[in-house]
Structures are given as structure tokens and as C-alpha cells.
Amino acid sequence: MAFQDHMLVWNHAALKVLDVRHAVIRPGDGLYGYQLPANVFLYSACGRAHLVLDELEYAADKCFVCHAGKGTFLDIVHVTETFEYYMVYYSATMTLPCRRELLRLYKEDNPFQLQYGFAPQYPIPLFLRIEQMMREWQRGGQLDKLHVKALFHQFVYELMKQLQTQGGTATKPNVAAQAIRYIDERYAEQVTLHSLASLFQCSVRQLQRLFKARLQLGPMEYLMQVRMQNAKAMLRQTDAPLQHIAESVGYSDGYYFSRMFKKYVGVSPLLYREQAQPKEHRRLNPSRLSRFPIGSGRLRMYSRIDDENHYQYKDGGVPPMYKNIKAMPTVGLMLCLLLLLSACSAAPANQAGPGSGGTNQAASQSAPGADSKQAIKPDSSVTIKHMKGELTLERRPEKIAVLDSQFVDQLIALNEQPAGSVITTADKTPFPEYLNGKLKDDMKLLGTKDEPNLEAVIAMAPDFIICTQFQEKMYDSLAKIAPTIMMDRNEDWRDSLVTIGKIVGKEKEAEKVLNDYNEKTAKLKAELTAKMGGQTVALIRPRDNNIRIHTTAHRTAAILYKDLGLTPPKQLVNDKETSSMISLESLTELNADHYFYLTDDLFQKLSEQIQSTAVWKNLNAVKQNHVYPVNATLWIGYYGPIAMNLVVDQIAEALLKGT
């Protein structure tokens, strides 16, 4: 923009002084990473230092003046002489009505965002006005502030006159550099593409284009990169729980963090932490596998409140939901005995192969109090393949500890009971409503899948443990307590049910459950094909101030698209990624005819906020009442036959109503 065009915009804008400040920096000190909350003029009265505006560096020697727009990062470095300076913060808005040409100039080359700096040829007039502004601003009266406004106009006039005379040039702000630094310093906050674009006063498309030109990746990809690099550092350097690490890098959902970490790094967070430890350190420090003290005089009980993801000591008695977990002063002795028994009872003929984690060593031993009638005949022993190798069972387990709550559903479907289980944290109750009355009152509560309570597992003395990748770090410790298998929690629930059926000796019952489901979905698929006529259906979930959309590769979404033959919007056809995040505004592009809207107690407030927006209310599906709220815990958390049958029932009720 030409200088005269700048003046056109300056003349028409409404200017408001927001603050006037005075500061001094001593040699050896500095100002680092200060993001300007408003447009700023900075005037140095004396001293030597370097001023850095994003990536532009100026050597300020005594009198120097510079300008930068809101969002710019300011550093004052290399202070060699006491540096005294003033800062005037201001806002500028275009008053309406105004000519289109002015609005075009303002939008295309906003002079209030430009960065420039120069040593004025006549510094005294500028200094006198800015010093007087400082005095008047400190008085604080309304008349004094009016005087400040008048002085500010005089200051801008004098500065522009000298800038024009000296032939100074202004530089557009480096939006990409600003956004990169913002992400580097605030990656733990709720950062969205739209919030970044709004902060740096540009369009989403422009921000993406500038980012890719600089880094060859988009803003959200860079945010992911920064978050994961910081997560890796914390996993290497601390023993902090996964949920705490997830929250510290910007993820309120520990499960989503773990999925993103594995996608980015290639291994789960727990496995990364284990592999990152020096071998010598692991050998000398085997207890690192568990953060819980051995021989604790008091059992720690897990808090089920998601935003208090830590162990709490409750004085005055055990909370009602934890009454089944009794404090055991001899937990340390019990662990030692269990470890001794597991080490001494290894049978050479039944040892596990490479990678099995040593889970076979106790598989053929009778559990304390086990009924000998449950033993499997030698010629009919069962070998279970799992993520850590193979395990051979010589008898049917009686006391199963489940460390991923989705397998509770699978056991109940086969008329079996877990002796202990972890709980969910997304809802106010430890288990979903559909399991009410199906679980025994004496079932032990073992923490959550993200943070199992190892002491509680030891206290229940299981004869079999089912875990998943979430417990990878403590797998070796679990295997010393009882035979342990690690199942893939993202495996098709039908395959998992077959495995569970083999474990509990109910393969025929598992087959019947699957046949019944197949018959049910085949019938419903025919009805939906006739009714829907190709209308599109999407599965969405509010998350981190955005919308998570579940693709055709997602395990629950597969019920919609594979089992029931419904049509996904083209944006959801993906056989590699199970989900992605989009902004609320992008739902208009998705434009599905029907939405199944996942929510839970944890994100209920966010869900209500989204549904109150104009964008949401203007969606065609919302106007036609084709949005169906469903419980995320049921649809996502409990991936078993009972839950999946209920999901199918809810789909049928939603899409076939009125027929």
C-alpha cells in the first residue's frame, strides 16, 4: 500500500488509546516472548538493545521508534546499556459508513498491523508528546484521557511526517511466524484453526497457505507435532500419569491422546516410555513398572472424576462406590508371595514363546480356592493367542480381572461375571446404565483403564487378567500376579467375543450370540435400504471445542456403514483414519442428512454450547429433526455384543420411526 493510501485509512479510522506504559531494562536482562495484546508504538528514550518483532530485528541506539500490530511477538534482547522505553497501546476500527475503496484498502493491507522501525531525525517532538501522554494517563481522569487521545493524534502525525520524509518502509507482519511462536508457547491451550485465524486477523485459507509455504504442513499438523514432542519429553523425563500428560499438552481425553500419540510416534505412550528408559536403569529399578508402593499400609482408591485423575485418600471412611475394595495392610507381603509362587511354578513343558511376557508360568496352577471340577482335560487345553504371544490354559479361570471395561460387556453376554474391573470416567456413574443389575455387588473396582490400581488387582487375587495396550507399561507386573493376556481393544468385537468364549469355555454360546446379531442386522439392513433411499448418515462427537467425525474405518461407525449398509457422506469414506477433527462451521460442508450425536456427562456443557449456535441451528438435519443424541459411553466405550445390540436398536428406532 502506498503511503497516501495509509493516510486515507488512518484519517478515517476511530483511534482509541488503551494503555500507556513506561519501563526500564538493565544490561543483561531482557523481555522475551511478549505477545502484543493490541497495536503498539514503542519509543526508546535511551540505551542500547535489539528489538525483535517476530523475525524482524532492529538495533535500537538511544532514540528509536517502532510499530507492530496485535499478536506480534516482541523480544528485547542484547541490552548493553540501560534501556528505557515507552509503549502506547491502541485500537483502530473503521467507522461506517465508508467508501468501499477504503474497506478494500483496510482489508488488503491493514496499516495498523504493519511492522516498521526507524531512528527519527527529530526525536524531541516525539519524546515530548509520549512523555506527556504518560503523565496524563497516570492521572487517570476522563478529561486527562481525552487529552491523551489528542496527544496520540499529534504523536502519530509527527511520526508519519518523519517516516515519509526519511523514506521509511513498512513490512507486513509474518503471520506464519507469529502463529508458529504462538503454538510453541500455548500448545496446551484450546487452539483451533479458526481461533488462530481470528487472532492474527486473516482468513483460515490464508493462514493454511502461509503455514504450508513456510513449513510444508498446516497449522493443526504443526500443533500436533509440538504437542507430541512435548509429550515425548515428559514421558522420557517424568513418571506423570498419562492423563496428566495428556492434559498438559492440550488433550482432555486420555484415550484420544493415546491414539494420536500412537499415530504420530508409531507406538503407544506407555511402550514409548518403557523403551525410552536406559536398559541399565530398568534392570536396577524394576519397580519403575509400577508407581504404587509395595507394602503400603493403606490402599489408595481411585477417583472416578475425570478432572481429578489421581488417587485420593479419604478420611472418615470409604466412599460408597469403593466399599468393595478393602484396605489390606499386608498387600506388600501378598505381592512378594505371588511373585515367589509365579517364579517357582514355571513348567518347562508349558513355557511361553518369545514375546509372551511369561504368562504361561502360572496357567496350569490351581488358583487359591479354585474348584478342581473346572480343570480342562490335558487333551483339551486351550491356547490363546494375544498381543504378547500365546498362553495355554489348563483350566477355566474363575476370578477374572478386566482392565479394559469394554470386555465386561463380553463376559456378561456369555453369562459370566468379572471378579474385578476398571471403571469409566466420562459419565457420572462407574458403569453404564444398561449394565445395571447385571454385575455382582461384590465385584472389585480396579481404577480406570488409563490408571489401573495395581494394589487393588493384587488384593482381589485374580487367577486370570485381561488387559489391553493401555496397560502395556505394567504388563510384566500383571503377568507375575496371574496369567495375563493383552487384547487389542480396537479389534472387531466379534473376534474378541470368540477369544473370550474360548477363555471361559463357552465357544458355542459365543457363536449363538454372533448368529443372532447377524440375523438381526441383516433384517434391519433390508428395511433401512428400502426406507433411506441413499440418504447420508454421520456419526459425530463434540470434542475440544471442535467436532470429531468418525469415518467408515471406525469400529462403531462400521455398524452404520458395513453392518446396516447406510450411506456415509463422501468426507467420511476413509479406510485408514478412524476419525478426524473439524470445526463447527465445517459441518455445513459435511451436510449429512442424519446425525447420530455422541455425548456424555463430561462434554455435556460443550454439547449444549454447540447446539445453541446459529451454525448448528441452520443445519438441514437439525431443521428436519434428523439429529439423534446418543450416549458416547455406550456407543464407543463398551464395545461388546450387549452394547452393540442396543446401538442397533437405537439406530432402528431413530431411522425407522414413523414407518
Side-chain angles (χ1 to χ4, degrees):
M1 184 190 295
F3 187 83
Q4 292 304 319
D5 290 336
H6 280 173
M7 292 305 98
L8 283 174
V9 177
W10 272 100
N11 275 320
H12 194 83
L15 305 178
K16 181 179 181 181
V17 177
L18 303 175
D19 197 4
V20 183
R21 300 181 190 177
H22 171 256
V24 175
I25 300 179
R26 306 296 177 186
D29 293 334
L31 178 67
Y32 304 97
Y34 175 57
Q35 188 174 25
L36 301 180
N39 308 323
V40 164
F41 283 106
L42 184 151
Y43 181 90
S44 69
C46 63
R48 284 190 175 92
H50 282 211
L51 306 177
V52 184
L53 301 174
D54 290 336
E55 296 181 331
L56 292 177
E57 185 169 347
Y58 302 94
D61 185 357
K62 297 182 175 58
C63 299
F64 191 85
V65 63
C66 64
H67 176 272
K70 178 181 178 180
T72 300
F73 282 92
L74 168 66
D75 297 285
I76 302 178
V77 297
H78 306 311
V79 180
T80 56
E81 292 182 10
T82 299
F83 190 71
E84 181 180 359
Y85 64 98
Y86 297 82
M87 296 179 74
V88 180
Y89 298 80
Y90 75 95
S91 66
T93 56
M94 295 298 288
T95 57
L96 297 177
C98 70
R99 292 180 297 149
R100 290 184 179 180
E101 179 64 15
L102 274 177
L103 285 177
R104 184 188 64 78
L105 291 173
Y106 174 73
K107 290 180 180 179
E108 290 182 357
D109 203 357
N110 185 344
F112 312 115
Q113 283 290 312
L114 294 179
Q115 298 171 4
Y116 48 88
F118 68 104
Q121 188 173 359
Y122 304 102
I124 298 302
L126 293 170
F127 173 73
L128 292 175
R129 285 172 177 78
I130 205 165
E131 187 185 42
Q132 191 174 3
M133 272 192 277
M134 186 75 236
R135 290 199 305 269
E136 297 295 326
W137 187 262
Q138 289 176 332
R139 290 194 178 99
Q142 293 301 316
L143 187 59
D144 301 313
K145 289 186 177 180
L146 181 62
H147 192 188
V148 169
K149 186 175 182 179
L151 290 168
F152 179 66
H153 281 81
Q154 294 174 29
F155 174 84
V156 172
Y157 164 75
E158 181 64 33
L159 185 145
M160 293 298 173
K161 183 174 70 171
Q162 294 198 39
L163 183 65
Q164 182 183 28
T165 302
Q166 294 179 218
T169 59
T171 303
K172 288 185 178 181
N174 191 324
V175 174
Q178 290 180 9
I180 288 168
R181 187 161 182 178
Y182 182 89
I183 290 172
D184 287 343
E185 298 186 1
R186 302 193 182 186
Y187 59 86
E189 299 177 10
Q190 296 298 324
V191 179
T192 68
L193 194 58
H194 285 268
S195 68
L196 280 175
S198 176
L199 177 63
F200 297 110
Q201 300 185 22
C202 64
S203 68
V204 168
R205 182 172 296 180
Q206 182 186 14
L207 179 63
Q208 290 176 315
R209 177 175 55 79
L210 293 171
F211 237 92
K212 288 186 177 180
R214 184 182 180 91
L215 296 180
Q216 288 74 55
L217 75 167
M220 294 299 99
E221 294 171 291
Y222 181 72
L223 173 64
M224 168 77 74
Q225 185 180 94
V226 172
R227 285 176 168 176
M228 292 308 158
Q229 291 298 333
N230 281 275
K232 286 166 65 177
M234 283 185 277
L235 286 166
R236 289 193 306 268
Q237 300 165 13
T238 75
D239 283 328
L242 283 188
Q243 182 64 30
H244 292 181
I245 291 177
E247 291 171 355
S248 70
V249 296
Y251 296 100
S252 59
D253 184 346
Y255 171 54
Y256 182 66
F257 162 72
S258 294
R259 285 184 52 210
M260 292 299 100
F261 187 92
K262 186 171 184 180
K263 174 183 174 183
Y264 179 82
V265 180
V267 297
S268 69
L270 291 175
L271 183 56
Y272 177 84
R273 171 179 272 168
E274 182 65 19
Q275 292 175 342
Q277 297 303 317
K279 291 183 179 179
E280 184 67 13
H281 178 71
R282 282 180 289 183
R283 183 181 69 80
L284 297 174
N285 222 1
S287 63
R288 182 176 174 83
L289 290 169
S290 172
R291 299 190 323 281
F292 309 115
I294 297 176
S296 172
R298 185 176 185 186
L299 184 64
R300 291 182 286 182
M301 291 156 293
Y302 197 83
S303 169
R304 64 184 172 86
I305 303 175
D306 190 71
D307 59 357
E308 298 177 20
N309 197 6
H310 55 274
Y311 289 88
Q312 297 180 351
Y313 292 93
K314 300 288 186 182
D315 294 324
V318 180
M321 69 173 288
Y322 297 107
K323 287 183 178 179
N324 290 327
I325 303 180
K326 301 182 184 298
M328 298 188 65
T330 58
V331 167
L333 177 60
M334 180 183 296
L335 177 57
C336 292
L337 289 173
L338 286 169
L339 295 179
L340 181 61
L341 285 172
S342 65
C344 296
S345 62
N350 210 23
Q351 287 179 350
S356 67
T359 55
N360 277 346
Q361 68 272 21
S364 62
Q365 301 298 317
S366 297
D371 187 348
S372 61
K373 294 181 181 179
Q374 298 298 330
I376 302 173
K377 295 179 181 180
D379 59 348
S380 59
S381 60
V382 175
T383 299
I384 307 297
K385 293 183 178 181
H386 62 110
M387 295 182 70
K388 290 291 185 178
E390 294 184 354
L391 182 146
T392 300
L393 289 174
E394 302 295 345
R395 65 182 47 79
R396 171 183 169 182
E398 291 296 305
K399 297 180 69 177
I400 300 177
V402 177
L403 301 189
D404 195 318
S405 49
Q406 68 182 27
F407 298 116
V408 172
D409 183 297
Q410 308 237 358
L411 287 167
I412 298 297
L414 298 177
N415 200 26
E416 293 289 323
Q417 286 281 335
S421 172
V422 294
I423 64 173
T424 60
T425 57
D427 289 321
K428 295 176 181 177
T429 56
F431 294 99
E433 184 178 351
Y434 82 90
L435 288 179
N436 287 348
K438 293 182 173 66
L439 296 171
K440 289 184 177 179
D441 294 336
D442 62 352
M443 187 187 73
K444 311 301 182 186
L445 301 179
L446 308 177
T448 72
K449 74 175 188 299
D450 295 298
E451 295 289 337
N453 186 334
L454 190 60
E455 291 177 352
V457 176
I458 296 168
M460 68 163 283
D463 59 5
F464 194 78
I465 300 173
I466 300 174
C467 72
T468 63
Q469 306 96 305
F470 276 92
Q471 296 84 41
E472 195 159 18
K473 180 184 175 183
M474 60 173 59
Y475 176 80
D476 289 342
S477 292
L478 294 171
K480 292 171 184 175
I481 298 171
T484 303
I485 65 169
M486 180 182 289
M487 299 183 68
D488 182 355
R489 79 178 318 269
N490 293 314
E491 180 182 50
D492 191 295
W493 68 268
R494 285 158 279 219
D495 297 330
S496 298
L497 184 66
V498 171
T499 300
I500 300 290
K502 290 177 67 176
I503 292 168
V504 299
K506 291 190 174 181
E507 294 175 83
K508 290 185 178 179
E509 288 84 345
E511 184 179 357
K512 183 179 186 306
V513 170
L514 295 178
N515 289 337
D516 290 346
Y517 176 83
N518 291 336
E519 291 178 8
K520 178 178 184 175
T521 53
K523 179 182 177 182
L524 180 56
K525 182 177 182 178
E527 294 177 14
L528 289 171
T529 300
K531 168 74 183 295
M532 299 296 289
Q535 295 180 57
T536 57
V537 180
L539 181 63
I540 63 174
R541 188 180 191 184
R543 225 27 163 211
D544 300 327
N545 295 322
N546 284 296
I547 300 292
R548 181 186 294 174
I549 54 175
H550 296 281
T551 71
T552 52
H554 187 268
R555 64 185 196 180
T556 304
I559 296 175
L560 294 166
Y561 308 128
K562 184 177 180 181
D563 296 356
L564 299 178
L566 295 169
T567 304
K570 62 181 181 180
Q571 298 94 321
L572 300 189
V573 178
N574 190 326
D575 60 356
K576 295 181 180 178
E577 304 296 335
T578 60
S579 65
S580 62
M581 301 293 282
I582 63 172
S583 65
L584 175 61
E585 291 77 10
S586 296
L587 275 180
T588 56
E589 299 176 13
L590 190 66
N591 196 30
D593 298 307
H594 300 262
Y595 290 102
F596 285 95
Y597 187 81
L598 296 161
T599 189
D600 50 41
D601 295 335
L602 186 62
F603 286 92
Q604 184 61 38
K605 186 175 181 180
L606 173 61
S607 178
E608 292 170 357
Q609 290 174 350
I610 287 174
Q611 293 180 69
S612 67
T613 63
V615 174
W616 177 264
K617 292 177 180 178
N618 286 324
L619 292 174
N620 291 330
V622 174
K623 292 178 180 178
Q624 296 175 20
N625 201 28
H626 286 172
V627 177
Y628 318 107
V630 293
N631 182 261
T633 303
L634 172 65
W635 278 56
I636 304 293
Y638 279 79
Y639 189 55
I642 303 176
M644 295 303 97
N645 271 280
L646 289 172
V647 168
V648 169
D649 292 340
Q650 291 180 3
I651 294 170
E653 181 181 358
L655 299 181
L656 294 179
K657 60 185 178 182
T659 59

